[in-house]
């Protein structure tokens, strides 16, 4: 082979041989063996590729590299390491290249910082000593650092105080080995979790435990025993009922929830928000709890001006804004007409049936019910009127229905005088989306199919909530 730092002219393509990488023969000295496979170089080393038809260079295991001459006036480099741009510091010792891969991995795993020493005889850092110097709390667990434990020797018995084997410890990740974890005598199970849960619920529900006649412990709610199958369901229902009673007992925020209504149709949108806009969703939750920023809703300022900002009424409440404020009458009427249009689309024409919408009845002082369905086949008349009262407690829907019946009493008497069997029904949905119990009866009287009636109620609730939000937005923005 050519000498380091010279040009190899024996090959067809002459190349300069690097001065730091000496060349040696790749064949065996004793036998004519085949060329050796290229070995994997350590991180940071370079392999020199030879031209085609030449032998591959390798690093001599025993020949030290020739130092590169230093330029005049340049700062001398450290004797132990040589640093290249973008690479890790490299050891200049030839012995480091011949160290086995297992020893290098053990050296990297046993010390927090990789060793940069050039000498192969340098002392490795004891991981136990570094741990005791970094975490003083270990001295309380193990007073004497096990510095004499071998890194590669046989595993030593674990310490009796901690049960931790320091000989197999990885100093780079001491926090993942559970050093500070101590054994416990508690055995968590489903039974202990159930006992803890009922102990927490006992401050809200009368839940307790009792001994069964055949042995064992069983849960009881209010003195009634609970079977293992329905325990969770009974506790959930009882807790939900307790929160509901607490809500409707509030004089102000519970007024809307005290209004009698159909639960599913009135609250179908809570889970999925069907047929509602995002602005309607944000509005209805605050409106049902009476938390909208109105002048009449200031509870902690008795000297504030509570008058309506649009009409000057003495108290600006949500009931006044959504039902009786004079400048909002146009939007209130639009809200009413949206529900009426839903009923109009749902009613199908039938032979011998006449349907009148918003027509005055002669001789009744100009009264104009929303829907009059006249069936000449069986001589029956259904008078229906849509009304949207405010959610103001248990009597709000009943009082509104009584007022409607009194208002259209002359219409009922007029058709009865003509020999018809007259029935008055009211389709009621409150201003905040509560469906009255008489609404289902009204849909049946108008001959709307039961299949569409479920969807019809949901659409009516969404229309009322949308209309109420439009009324409130007009009232605030002007």
């Amino acid at each position: 082979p050519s000498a380091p730092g010279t040009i190899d002219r024996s090959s067809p393509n002459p190349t300069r041989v690097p001065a730091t990488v000496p060349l040696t023969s790749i064949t065996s000295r004793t036998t004519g063996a085949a060329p050796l496979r290229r070995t994997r170089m350590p991180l940071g080393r370079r392999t020199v590729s030879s031209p085609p038809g030449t032998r591959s260079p390798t690093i001599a295991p025993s020949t030290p590299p020739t130092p590169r001459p230093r330029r005049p006036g340049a700062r001398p480099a450290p004797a132990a390491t040589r640093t290249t741009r973008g690479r890790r510091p490299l050891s200049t010792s030839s012995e480091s290249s011949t160290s086995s891969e297992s020893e290098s991995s053990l050296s990297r795993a046993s010390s927090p910082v990789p060793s940069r020493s050039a000498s192969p005889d340098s002392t490795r850092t004891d991981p136990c000593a570094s741990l005791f110097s970094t975490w003083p709390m270990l001295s309380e667990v193990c007073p004497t650092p096990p510095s004499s434990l071998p890194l590669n020797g046989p595993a030593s018995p674990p310490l009796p105080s901690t049960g931790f084997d320091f000989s197999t410890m990885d100093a780079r990740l001491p926090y993942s080995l559970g050093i500070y974890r101590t054994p416990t005598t508690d055995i968590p199970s489903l039974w202990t979790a159930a006992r803890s849960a009922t102990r927490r619920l006992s401050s809200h529900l009368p839940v307790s435990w009792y001994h069964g006649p055949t042995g064992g412990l069983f849960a009881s709610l209010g003195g009634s025993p609970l079977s293992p199958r329905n325990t969770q369901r009974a506790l959930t229902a009882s807790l939900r009922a307790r929160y509901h009673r607490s809500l409707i007992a509030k004089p102000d925020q519970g007024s809307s929830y005290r209004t009698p209504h159909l639960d599913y149709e009135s609250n179908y949108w809570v889970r999925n928000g069907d047929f509602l806009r995002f602005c309607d969703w944000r509005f209805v939750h605050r409106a049902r709890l009476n938390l909208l920023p109105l002048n009449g809703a200031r509870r902690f300022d008795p000297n504030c001006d509570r008058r309506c900002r649009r009409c000057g009424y003495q108290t600006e409440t949500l009931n006044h804004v959504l039902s009786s404020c004079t400048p909002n009458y146009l939007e209130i009427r639009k809200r009413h007409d949206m529900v009426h249009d839903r009923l109009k689309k749902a009613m199908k024409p039938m032979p011998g049936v006449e349907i009148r919408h918003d027509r005055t009845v002669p001789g009744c002082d100009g009264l104009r019910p929303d829907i009059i369905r006249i069936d000449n086949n069986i001589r029956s008349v259904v008078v229906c009127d849509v009304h949207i009262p405010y959610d103001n407690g248990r009597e709000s829907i009943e009082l509104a229905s009584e007022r409607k019946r009194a208002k259209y009493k002359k219409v009922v008497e007029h058709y009865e005088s003509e020999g018809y069997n007259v029935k008055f029904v009211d389709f009621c949905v409150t201003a905040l989306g509560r469906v009255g119990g008489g609404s289902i009866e009204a849909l049946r009287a108008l001959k709307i199919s039961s299949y569409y009636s479920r969807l019809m109620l949901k659409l009516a609730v969404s229309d009322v909530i949308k209309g109420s939000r439009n009324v409130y937005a007009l009232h605030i923005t002007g």
Side-chain angles (χ1 to χ4, degrees):
S2 300
T6 62
I7 300 177
D8 186 8
R9 302 183 182 275
S10 61
S11 61
N13 299 325
T15 58
R16 180 176 295 276
V17 179
T20 58
V21 184
L23 303 180
T24 185
S25 177
I26 61 175
T27 60
S28 175
R29 296 182 180 180
T30 58
T31 61
L36 301 177
R37 183 182 299 176
R38 179 181 297 177
T39 59
R40 185 176 180 180
M41 305 301 296
L43 184 63
R45 297 285 186 176
R46 296 181 180 178
T47 57
V48 181
S49 301
S50 300
T54 60
R55 298 177 179 179
S56 301
T58 59
I59 297 177
S62 59
T63 305
T66 305
R68 182 178 297 181
R70 184 168 54 89
R71 293 184 303 173
R75 180 178 298 179
T81 60
R82 175 173 60 86
T83 306
T84 58
R85 178 178 299 179
R87 297 184 180 273
R88 296 171 54 189
L90 303 178
S91 174
T92 58
S93 175
S94 62
E95 295 295 329
S96 62
S97 63
T98 60
S99 60
S100 63
E101 188 172 335
S102 61
E103 292 179 355
S104 62
S105 61
L106 179 60
S107 175
R108 289 193 301 269
S110 61
S111 58
V113 181
S115 175
R116 299 183 182 182
S117 176
S119 175
D121 299 330
S122 60
T123 305
R124 294 194 298 268
T125 304
D126 187 5
C128 302
S130 62
L131 282 177
F132 274 83
S133 61
T134 308
W135 293 282
M137 294 180 62
L138 285 178
S139 60
E140 300 179 2
V141 180
C142 182
T144 304
S147 59
S148 61
L149 293 176
L151 295 178
N152 298 333
S156 59
L159 297 179
S161 60
T162 60
F164 184 76
D165 188 2
F166 283 90
S167 62
T168 60
M169 179 173 54
D170 190 352
R172 294 178 301 172
L173 301 175
Y175 53 84
S176 64
L177 301 179
I179 297 176
Y180 303 110
R181 184 173 182 178
T182 58
T184 178
T185 58
D186 296 336
I187 302 177
S189 63
L190 182 61
W191 172 255
T192 58
R195 293 292 299 272
S196 301
T198 53
R199 190 181 303 112
R200 292 190 298 268
L201 286 175
S202 60
S203 59
H204 304 286
L205 299 176
V207 59
S208 60
W209 295 86
Y210 70 96
H211 290 276
T214 59
L217 287 177
F218 299 90
S220 64
L221 181 62
S224 301
L226 298 175
S227 64
R229 292 186 177 181
N230 64 351
T231 298
Q232 181 181 0
R233 185 184 307 171
L235 292 177
T236 303
S238 180
L239 193 63
R240 184 183 295 118
R242 178 186 178 276
Y243 288 144
H244 184 261
R245 291 193 301 269
S246 176
L247 178 60
I248 63 177
K250 299 181 183 300
D252 188 11
Q253 297 181 0
S255 62
S256 175
Y257 294 91
R258 287 192 298 270
T259 304
H261 57 276
L262 301 178
D263 291 334
Y264 175 75
E265 289 78 6
S266 304
N267 305 301
Y268 77 93
W269 46 267
V270 173
R271 291 183 178 270
N272 48 27
D274 289 344
F275 314 118
L276 278 185
R277 303 173 298 180
F278 286 105
C279 57
D280 302 334
W281 174 277
R282 292 190 294 267
F283 162 80
V284 68
H285 284 292
R286 293 185 297 170
R288 286 187 174 185
L289 293 174
N290 198 16
L291 298 177
L292 294 173
L294 298 174
N295 294 335
R298 298 180 182 179
R299 302 174 180 84
F300 307 103
D301 190 2
N303 299 324
C304 65
D305 187 6
R306 298 176 178 272
R307 293 177 298 176
C308 178
R309 69 192 71 187
R310 299 296 302 278
C311 65
Y313 185 71
Q314 58 182 359
T315 307
E316 188 187 46
T317 60
L318 189 60
N319 185 6
H320 168 75
V321 172
L322 299 182
S323 301
S324 58
C325 188
T326 306
N328 300 335
Y329 272 170
L330 181 61
E331 288 295 330
I332 293 174
R333 182 65 185 178
K334 289 182 180 180
R335 180 184 63 187
H336 174 275
D337 292 343
M338 284 192 296
V339 180
H340 184 198
D341 292 340
R342 291 287 182 187
L343 293 173
K344 184 187 301 185
K345 295 178 181 178
M347 299 178 64
K348 297 180 180 180
M350 297 181 181
V353 177
E354 180 185 0
I355 301 176
R356 301 177 180 178
H357 297 280
D358 282 335
R359 294 184 183 180
T360 58
V361 179
C364 296
D365 301 334
L367 293 177
R368 188 177 57 183
D370 292 328
I371 300 174
I372 300 178
R373 184 179 185 277
I374 304 175
D375 191 350
N376 296 318
N377 299 326
I378 58 176
R379 302 293 293 177
S380 66
V381 174
V382 177
V383 180
C384 179
D385 194 74
V386 177
H387 64 110
I388 305 175
Y390 182 74
D391 311 43
N392 199 15
R394 295 181 175 88
E395 298 80 12
S396 58
I397 295 181
E398 297 178 0
L399 294 177
S401 299
E402 292 178 1
R403 287 195 298 267
K404 288 292 183 179
R405 292 180 182 275
K407 178 180 180 181
Y408 293 105
K409 185 178 179 180
K410 292 184 178 182
V411 176
V412 173
E413 294 175 351
H414 170 76
Y415 284 103
E416 286 180 349
S417 62
E418 294 182 359
Y420 288 96
N421 184 16
V422 184
K423 182 178 181 180
F424 177 83
V425 292
D426 58 316
F427 187 82
C428 175
V429 181
T430 63
L432 299 180
R434 305 286 187 182
V435 181
S439 300
I440 296 181
E441 183 182 357
L443 296 178
R444 292 174 182 173
L446 296 176
K447 304 302 180 181
I448 297 176
S449 64
S450 59
Y451 176 79
Y452 185 72
S453 296
R454 307 283 290 186
L455 179 60
M456 172 66 199
L457 293 175
K458 295 180 180 180
L459 295 175
V461 169
S462 63
D463 289 339
V464 170
I465 294 176
K466 182 187 302 184
S468 297
R469 191 264 172 188
N470 295 340
V471 173
Y472 172 77
L474 176 65
H475 183 86
I476 296 298
T477 60

